[in-house]
Amino acid sequence: MQDWNNIRNQFPVLKTQVNGYALSYLDNGASSQMPESVITRLASYHQHEHANIHRGVHYLSQTATTTYEETRRLVADFLNAESLEQIIFTTGTTDSINLVAESWGSSFLSDGDEIILSEMEHHANIVPWQMIAQKTGANIKVIPLLDNGELDLDIYANLLNERTKMVAVVHVSNTLGTVNPVSEIIAMAKNVGARVLIDGAQATPHMAVNLQELGADFYTFSAHKMCGPTGFGVLYGNKSLLEAMPPYRGGGDMIDKVSFSGTTYNDLPHKFEAGTPPIASGVVFGEALRYLNKIGMDEIAQRESYLLKYAMKGFKSLQRLQLFGTSNNKTAVISFLLDDIHPTDAGTILDKYGVAVRTGHHCTQPIMERFGIPGTIRASLSFYNNEADIDALINGIKETQSFFN
Amino acid sequence: MSQSKVSIVDIQNRIVREFSLLEDWTERYKYIIKFGSKLPHLDSSKKVENNIVKGCQSQVWLHAEFSDGKIIFEADSDAAITKGLVALMVHLYSHQTPSAILSTEPTFITEIGMHEHLSPTRANGLASMVKQMKIYALAFSS
């Protein structure tokens, strides 16, 4: 049994006062917060351990390299990946998807090939594919959304054919919280020989992910949504595919031998990691993973499912409220509108009560188009939130409604 | 000049004076929203792509015309608070000369405690709106 109150107390920023109210931080979908141990790890790295990695024979460089590479092992374990070479460090999910779209796409896509995306994708899993489609002559097909915020798998089945080369879908929708049946989606893609990329940015912070079981060719996520630092992320890839793909960026660390008559590239994973990486961020992310492992991802999933239930009970007492994303299989994300109150206006008033939510299109404009709305108000919860945060949200919504009444 | 127009400085002073009588943020926001509700209706023919102020989380339209040496601004927004702030800006800069607009900063925004709406992270468009008005003033003064 976890002491959730004690866990919450390990996050210093949650003690902030906003406009005279205790902060209720419900914007975890945009970024999570860091516990004390992770914050302290950043300072101690800079105080005692910093040097450039993978190149010095001196003590500090060797230590920093070992510590940084330890994070790769932690990530591989976290995902149950087959090998360390399959874990590429990037600057985040956006960077990872751009890497795959450009490097894999430029080698494996040709005129008339098809890429399947879904209507609930984050812009980061749309635009890189549009860019490579334009270059290669490939076409993009879209799996539509059902009214409850789930994907229409019947239409997906009809979209798949021998021209389908890539299916790139989100594991958990950042806007709706829907947990997609990715195992099924991957299996269906494999039937026609298509590759699959799963955007796991909103999944890895909330549930255990087993990549050997899933069988995705690519899986990606960001550290800053998992109690880690910004500017650091992961791309997991199928080893033979990663080996066949050309480097994405050139520079130090990614080379074997450089000469003006020709350059040979380093082995995986370094082939895709040009230049000095954000070493401190990598080290600190390792600490964040240790922190999450200590609590346990299944415990986290249960806690957040409890918080979602608690919140939905409170939402039942509210009127003139429309929910978006009502799948039974969803994370603790509540996207809603308050009749014709503009989400930006609602967010401004909620902030006055210390409630931090995200308002707008959440970088998923196709979802907004699908529902014919300008945006939503999104409360996205994390395990360190508590009942008081949710009560503050519900009270804030009531205050917002009476303000605009 | 066909009609004498109050200077931008005078308008700012009046806004600041009126806000100083309002007790808390609730009253200030209510005042702003009410101000927005009195903004003259923007004809749908002017709610076109070209008039959309970019960088706003809410939709903001700004239309400008140059007549008799003065700029006439018209605007609208789909969000109530943004619309109020937009209305205050139209009240401030409309029917003023390009040179007056270029030489007078909208300092009242900070003085009435709405500076948070100028922050780029708010993405609610007030800063973009001010910039767009200045660009019109620059264009019409050349």
Side-chain angles (χ1 to χ4, degrees), chain A residues 34-97:
Chain A
M34 280 186 191
E36 191 84 57
S37 62
V38 174
I39 298 168
T40 314
R41 186 69 190 89
L42 180 63
S44 76
Y45 170 77
H46 284 296
Q47 280 162 354
H48 309 293
E49 301 160 64
H50 175 66
N52 209 335
I53 54 169
H54 299 146
R55 52 200 81 192
V57 291
H58 59 81
Y59 168 79
L60 268 188
S61 176
Q62 300 265 345
T63 317
T65 303
T66 310
T67 317
Y68 182 78
E69 287 301 324
E70 176 65 9
T71 298
R72 208 183 299 274
R73 191 192 58 76
L74 283 160
V75 169
D77 288 350
F78 189 87
L79 299 172
N80 190 25
E82 298 89 332
S83 67
L84 293 178
E85 294 104 304
Q86 292 169 279
I87 308 298
I88 317 284
F89 288 149
T90 65
T91 67
T93 306
T94 299
D95 189 32
S96 301
I97 299 173

Side-chain angles (χ1 to χ4, degrees), chain A residues 6-22:
Chain A
N6 179 41
I7 286 171
R8 180 186 175 87
N9 282 331
Q10 290 159 6
F11 290 78
V13 76
L14 299 179
K15 298 185 174 81
T16 307
Q17 294 279 310
V18 176
N19 299 316
Y21 291 87

Side-chain angles (χ1 to χ4, degrees), chain A residues 340 342-349 351-353 358-361 374 402-404, chain B residues 25-27 29-30 33 57-59 78-82 113 116-117 122-124:
Chain A
D340 54 357
H342 195 281
T344 316
D345 287 332
T348 304
I349 302 303
D351 177 59
K352 292 289 174 196
Y353 291 93
R358 173 90 182 264
T359 58
H361 54 62
S402 80
F403 182 88
F404 286 104
Chain B
W25 69 264
T26 329
E27 285 193 7
Y29 274 117
K30 289 222 155 127
I33 291 166
Q57 213 183 76
S58 45
Q59 201 80 269
D78 59 349
I81 295 170
T82 311
E116 66 192 51
H117 291 277
R122 297 288 301 204
N124 64 4

